[in-house]
Amino acid sequence: KRRALGLGNFIVWAAYDANAFVSESVIHSVNEREPQMIGSHDGYYGLAVSNVFYMISTLAVPSLMSYFRCKWILALSGAFFTFYFLCFQYLNRYLYFFSCAFLGMAFSCFNVGYSGYITEFSTRQTIERNQALSWAVSSFSVFGAGVVNFVVTTANMNENGIVSKYREYSDMEIRYFYAAFAVLGVMGMALYSFLPNREVEDNIAASNVRCKSLNEQLKVMFTVLFHKRVLILFPFYLYIGLFFSFWISIIPTALQFTKSLSLNVYIPAYFGAIFTIGSVIMSLLTMKMSSLVRNFSFKPLMIINAILHILIYTLSVCMIPQWSTVRPNDEPSLLIQPSVFPVLILAFLCGMADAANNTTRTVISSLLLPTRRQQTFGASRFYHGLSASVLFFVSPYLSIYTYAIVLSSFLIVSTIVYWLTCDFIQGEERKTSDNKVAPVSYVNLTSEKSLEEM
C-alpha cells in the first residue's frame, strides 16, 4: 500500500512540480511575445488564486469521505490536475485563472485523500515510518519533474543551445510540456483508482468520527479551525505553506531569472534531481531513527528541520541576486557567485527540509485531535493555503532578502509552538499510560460543544 500510494503520488506530483518550476517563466515568456494575452506576473497570481481555492475547498472536501473511499478522492484530484494542464494548450488569461481554481481543488482533494488513506493502514506505532516511506517514494516526483524538463528542453533546443539571453519558452515548447504533464495526470488518476481497499487492525483512521452531511462537516470544520489546539500550531501551519511556495516556485524562478544561471537551460532538471536525493535521504533517516528513538518526529526532527531552513535562507541570500525573484537581471549576488554547484547544495537542503516538514505536519496533525483527524489535516491545509496565497499575491514586490527575513521570523515562532505542542501530546500520552484511562484528547468530538469544551 505504501509503495502503491507513493507511486501514484510520484506520477501526479512529477507533473505538478515540473509545472511549478517553470510556470512564472512560461507566463513571462508568453507576455514578452503577446502582452495583451496574459500579464507578466500572472504565473505568481495564478498560484495565488489556486491557493485561495485550495483554502476554501479544504473546508468542504473532507465531507466527501462520507460518500467515497479515500482512493476515489485521490482519483478526483488527478482529474482536476489533468484539466489544469490541458488548459495550457489554449493559453489566455481568463482560461488560465479558471484552470487555477481547479488546481486549488486538486490540491485539497489530494491532501484529504492522501492523509485519510495513509491513516487507514497506519497505527500509532507505524505512522512515522509509513509516512516517511510513502513520502520517500513520492519525493521522486521532483526528480521526475526534472526528467520531464530535461527531455522537453532538449527536444526544443535550437542550434545555438539556448533560446535567448534569458530562459524563454516558445509556444510549441509550452504545449509539449503541458501535454506531457496531462499524460502523467491521467496515469496518476488511473493508479489511484486501483489502490487496495483493505485496512489494518487498530488503524488510526478507525477513531475518526465522520460527518454525515456537508452542513455538519462545515460546522465541525470551522470549530476545528478555531480550536485552541489547532490555533497554537497556527504559525507552524502558516510557515509550511510559506516554505513550500518558496522552494517550489520562488527559487526555481529566481534561478531562471539570473543571467549567469539562465544560460544553463537544464538548471530546473538539476534542481529536481538533487532535491529528490535530499528528500529521500531525510525520509530514510526518519524511518531508521523512528525505530530507534521514540517520537523522533517530534522534537528531534524539528530541531534538524530548523537548522536546515536556516542554512537554506543563508545560502539563498548569499547566492541569488536581490531581484531575481521578480525579473530577469544580471545584477551581482551578495557573496557567492551563482553557479551550478551552490544551486545543487541549495536543492539538496530544500529536499531534506521539505521531507522533514511533511513528516512533522502529518505526525503532529494525526495526534492533535484524534477523533477529528481529517478536519485537523484540513485545518493545516487551510492555513497552508492562506499563507501561500498571500505570499504569491505580493511576490512581484518581494526581493530574496525580504523572503529570507519573513520566512526566518515564521520559522522561529513555528519551532517554538511545535515544541510546546509536542510537550502537550507527550504529557497526555503519559497520563493515559499511568492512569489506564482515555486522555482528554480521545474524548468523543461528535458535537461542536464537545470540541469547545476541550
Side-chain angles (χ1 to χ4, degrees), residues 42-64:
D42 281 355
Y44 283 148
Y45 292 140
L47 291 173
V49 169
S50 70
N51 277 281
V52 168
F53 277 86
Y54 169 40
M55 179 177 62
I56 295 172
S57 59
T58 293
L59 299 176
V61 167
S63 64
L64 295 177

mmCIF file of all heavy atoms in Angstrom, residues 42-64:
data_model
loop_
_atom_site.group_PDB
_atom_site.id
_atom_site.type_symbol
_atom_site.label_atom_id
_atom_site.label_comp_id
_atom_site.label_asym_id
_atom_site.label_seq_id
_atom_site.Cartn_x
_atom_site.Cartn_y
_atom_site.Cartn_z
ATOM 1 N N ASP A 42 1.435 36.936 -14.026
ATOM 2 C CA ASP A 42 0.245 36.108 -13.808
ATOM 3 C C ASP A 42 0.605 34.698 -13.352
ATOM 4 O O ASP A 42 -0.247 33.977 -12.826
ATOM 5 C CB ASP A 42 -0.593 36.045 -15.085
ATOM 6 C CG ASP A 42 -1.438 37.292 -15.278
ATOM 7 O OD1 ASP A 42 -1.424 38.147 -14.373
ATOM 8 O OD2 ASP A 42 -2.095 37.425 -16.322
ATOM 9 N N GLY A 43 1.859 34.284 -13.557
ATOM 10 C CA GLY A 43 2.283 32.992 -13.013
ATOM 11 C C GLY A 43 2.176 32.976 -11.504
ATOM 12 O O GLY A 43 1.634 32.033 -10.901
ATOM 13 N N TYR A 44 2.671 34.043 -10.857
ATOM 14 C CA TYR A 44 2.552 34.172 -9.406
ATOM 15 C C TYR A 44 1.084 34.364 -8.993
ATOM 16 O O TYR A 44 0.598 33.746 -8.041
ATOM 17 C CB TYR A 44 3.372 35.361 -8.904
ATOM 18 C CG TYR A 44 4.862 35.100 -8.821
ATOM 19 C CD1 TYR A 44 5.778 36.130 -9.048
ATOM 20 C CD2 TYR A 44 5.368 33.832 -8.498
ATOM 21 C CE1 TYR A 44 7.153 35.912 -8.964
ATOM 22 C CE2 TYR A 44 6.730 33.612 -8.420
ATOM 23 C CZ TYR A 44 7.620 34.652 -8.647
ATOM 24 O OH TYR A 44 8.974 34.428 -8.560
ATOM 25 N N TYR A 45 0.379 35.238 -9.721
ATOM 26 C CA TYR A 45 -1.011 35.498 -9.368
ATOM 27 C C TYR A 45 -1.883 34.256 -9.542
ATOM 28 O O TYR A 45 -2.812 34.012 -8.768
ATOM 29 C CB TYR A 45 -1.564 36.653 -10.217
ATOM 30 C CG TYR A 45 -0.947 37.998 -9.909
ATOM 31 C CD1 TYR A 45 -0.645 38.898 -10.928
ATOM 32 C CD2 TYR A 45 -0.644 38.367 -8.603
ATOM 33 C CE1 TYR A 45 -0.067 40.131 -10.655
ATOM 34 C CE2 TYR A 45 -0.068 39.602 -8.314
ATOM 35 C CZ TYR A 45 0.223 40.472 -9.349
ATOM 36 O OH TYR A 45 0.804 41.692 -9.078
ATOM 37 N N GLY A 46 -1.573 33.454 -10.578
ATOM 38 C CA GLY A 46 -2.324 32.220 -10.773
ATOM 39 C C GLY A 46 -2.130 31.251 -9.621
ATOM 40 O O GLY A 46 -3.087 30.614 -9.159
ATOM 41 N N LEU A 47 -0.891 31.142 -9.126
ATOM 42 C CA LEU A 47 -0.635 30.292 -7.964
ATOM 43 C C LEU A 47 -1.341 30.838 -6.723
ATOM 44 O O LEU A 47 -1.785 30.073 -5.866
ATOM 45 C CB LEU A 47 0.875 30.189 -7.719
ATOM 46 C CG LEU A 47 1.655 29.396 -8.775
ATOM 47 C CD1 LEU A 47 3.153 29.512 -8.529
ATOM 48 C CD2 LEU A 47 1.239 27.933 -8.768
ATOM 49 N N ALA A 48 -1.452 32.168 -6.637
ATOM 50 C CA ALA A 48 -2.197 32.756 -5.526
ATOM 51 C C ALA A 48 -3.674 32.380 -5.605
ATOM 52 O O ALA A 48 -4.292 32.005 -4.602
ATOM 53 C CB ALA A 48 -2.038 34.281 -5.544
ATOM 54 N N VAL A 49 -4.250 32.464 -6.803
ATOM 55 C CA VAL A 49 -5.656 32.089 -6.985
ATOM 56 C C VAL A 49 -5.871 30.617 -6.650
ATOM 57 O O VAL A 49 -6.844 30.254 -5.971
ATOM 58 C CB VAL A 49 -6.100 32.381 -8.442
ATOM 59 C CG1 VAL A 49 -7.465 31.746 -8.723
ATOM 60 C CG2 VAL A 49 -6.146 33.877 -8.692
ATOM 61 N N SER A 50 -4.965 29.764 -7.097
ATOM 62 C CA SER A 50 -5.113 28.330 -6.812
ATOM 63 C C SER A 50 -5.076 28.071 -5.318
ATOM 64 O O SER A 50 -5.813 27.209 -4.808
ATOM 65 C CB SER A 50 -4.017 27.529 -7.523
ATOM 66 O OG SER A 50 -2.748 27.759 -6.953
ATOM 67 N N ASN A 51 -4.251 28.806 -4.586
ATOM 68 C CA ASN A 51 -4.190 28.611 -3.136
ATOM 69 C C ASN A 51 -5.420 29.157 -2.422
ATOM 70 O O ASN A 51 -5.810 28.630 -1.376
ATOM 71 C CB ASN A 51 -2.912 29.256 -2.571
ATOM 72 C CG ASN A 51 -1.702 28.353 -2.708
ATOM 73 O OD1 ASN A 51 -1.507 27.429 -1.927
ATOM 74 N ND2 ASN A 51 -0.895 28.603 -3.720
ATOM 75 N N VAL A 52 -6.048 30.189 -2.987
ATOM 76 C CA VAL A 52 -7.310 30.673 -2.412
ATOM 77 C C VAL A 52 -8.389 29.597 -2.541
ATOM 78 O O VAL A 52 -9.109 29.297 -1.587
ATOM 79 C CB VAL A 52 -7.755 31.971 -3.122
ATOM 80 C CG1 VAL A 52 -9.199 32.318 -2.730
ATOM 81 C CG2 VAL A 52 -6.825 33.119 -2.766
ATOM 82 N N PHE A 53 -8.493 28.989 -3.718
ATOM 83 C CA PHE A 53 -9.490 27.932 -3.912
ATOM 84 C C PHE A 53 -9.111 26.670 -3.133
ATOM 85 O O PHE A 53 -9.992 25.938 -2.667
ATOM 86 C CB PHE A 53 -9.654 27.622 -5.400
ATOM 87 C CG PHE A 53 -10.584 28.555 -6.111
ATOM 88 C CD1 PHE A 53 -10.129 29.760 -6.622
ATOM 89 C CD2 PHE A 53 -11.935 28.250 -6.239
ATOM 90 C CE1 PHE A 53 -10.992 30.632 -7.260
ATOM 91 C CE2 PHE A 53 -12.806 29.116 -6.879
ATOM 92 C CZ PHE A 53 -12.332 30.312 -7.396
ATOM 93 N N TYR A 54 -7.838 26.429 -3.000
ATOM 94 C CA TYR A 54 -7.368 25.330 -2.161
ATOM 95 C C TYR A 54 -7.827 25.524 -0.725
ATOM 96 O O TYR A 54 -8.370 24.619 -0.082
ATOM 97 C CB TYR A 54 -5.846 25.292 -2.266
ATOM 98 C CG TYR A 54 -5.121 24.410 -1.285
ATOM 99 C CD1 TYR A 54 -5.602 23.158 -0.929
ATOM 100 C CD2 TYR A 54 -3.901 24.818 -0.755
ATOM 101 C CE1 TYR A 54 -4.898 22.352 -0.049
ATOM 102 C CE2 TYR A 54 -3.192 24.014 0.112
ATOM 103 C CZ TYR A 54 -3.694 22.787 0.465
ATOM 104 O OH TYR A 54 -2.997 21.987 1.332
ATOM 105 N N MET A 55 -7.657 26.737 -0.239
ATOM 106 C CA MET A 55 -8.029 27.071 1.131
ATOM 107 C C MET A 55 -9.539 26.919 1.345
ATOM 108 O O MET A 55 -9.987 26.318 2.322
ATOM 109 C CB MET A 55 -7.586 28.505 1.417
ATOM 110 C CG MET A 55 -7.907 29.027 2.795
ATOM 111 S SD MET A 55 -7.243 30.712 2.985
ATOM 112 C CE MET A 55 -8.144 31.600 1.719
ATOM 113 N N ILE A 56 -10.329 27.431 0.405
ATOM 114 C CA ILE A 56 -11.783 27.387 0.544
ATOM 115 C C ILE A 56 -12.312 25.958 0.414
ATOM 116 O O ILE A 56 -13.134 25.502 1.221
ATOM 117 C CB ILE A 56 -12.455 28.302 -0.508
ATOM 118 C CG1 ILE A 56 -12.070 29.763 -0.239
ATOM 119 C CG2 ILE A 56 -13.971 28.134 -0.486
ATOM 120 C CD1 ILE A 56 -12.516 30.722 -1.331
ATOM 121 N N SER A 57 -11.834 25.226 -0.607
ATOM 122 C CA SER A 57 -12.343 23.869 -0.831
ATOM 123 C C SER A 57 -11.930 22.910 0.273
ATOM 124 O O SER A 57 -12.599 21.893 0.499
ATOM 125 C CB SER A 57 -11.865 23.346 -2.192
ATOM 126 O OG SER A 57 -10.454 23.323 -2.272
ATOM 127 N N THR A 58 -10.855 23.228 0.985
ATOM 128 C CA THR A 58 -10.422 22.396 2.108
ATOM 129 C C THR A 58 -11.497 22.299 3.178
ATOM 130 O O THR A 58 -11.586 21.302 3.898
ATOM 131 C CB THR A 58 -9.116 22.961 2.707
ATOM 132 O OG1 THR A 58 -8.070 22.811 1.753
ATOM 133 C CG2 THR A 58 -8.729 22.235 3.966
ATOM 134 N N LEU A 59 -12.347 23.322 3.282
ATOM 135 C CA LEU A 59 -13.411 23.306 4.283
ATOM 136 C C LEU A 59 -14.467 22.252 3.966
ATOM 137 O O LEU A 59 -15.064 21.670 4.880
ATOM 138 C CB LEU A 59 -14.072 24.686 4.356
ATOM 139 C CG LEU A 59 -13.181 25.864 4.750
ATOM 140 C CD1 LEU A 59 -13.969 27.160 4.680
ATOM 141 C CD2 LEU A 59 -12.597 25.657 6.139
ATOM 142 N N ALA A 60 -14.715 22.001 2.679
ATOM 143 C CA ALA A 60 -15.817 21.123 2.290
ATOM 144 C C ALA A 60 -15.382 19.734 1.837
ATOM 145 O O ALA A 60 -16.120 18.764 2.015
ATOM 146 C CB ALA A 60 -16.621 21.783 1.163
ATOM 147 N N VAL A 61 -14.183 19.604 1.285
ATOM 148 C CA VAL A 61 -13.762 18.333 0.694
ATOM 149 C C VAL A 61 -13.770 17.160 1.676
ATOM 150 O O VAL A 61 -14.130 16.032 1.292
ATOM 151 C CB VAL A 61 -12.375 18.477 0.026
ATOM 152 C CG1 VAL A 61 -11.775 17.122 -0.310
ATOM 153 C CG2 VAL A 61 -12.497 19.316 -1.238
ATOM 154 N N PRO A 62 -13.402 17.352 2.973
ATOM 155 C CA PRO A 62 -13.450 16.205 3.888
ATOM 156 C C PRO A 62 -14.813 15.529 3.991
ATOM 157 O O PRO A 62 -14.897 14.344 4.324
ATOM 158 C CB PRO A 62 -13.034 16.814 5.237
ATOM 159 C CG PRO A 62 -12.127 17.937 4.863
ATOM 160 C CD PRO A 62 -12.753 18.511 3.616
ATOM 161 N N SER A 63 -15.884 16.268 3.652
ATOM 162 C CA SER A 63 -17.222 15.674 3.704
ATOM 163 C C SER A 63 -17.390 14.582 2.644
ATOM 164 O O SER A 63 -18.265 13.714 2.767
ATOM 165 C CB SER A 63 -18.303 16.745 3.511
ATOM 166 O OG SER A 63 -18.205 17.327 2.222
ATOM 167 N N LEU A 64 -16.547 14.588 1.594
ATOM 168 C CA LEU A 64 -16.623 13.550 0.570
ATOM 169 C C LEU A 64 -16.310 12.174 1.132
ATOM 170 O O LEU A 64 -16.708 11.157 0.562
ATOM 171 C CB LEU A 64 -15.642 13.861 -0.575
ATOM 172 C CG LEU A 64 -15.918 15.121 -1.412
ATOM 173 C CD1 LEU A 64 -14.816 15.317 -2.443
ATOM 174 C CD2 LEU A 64 -17.273 15.018 -2.103
#
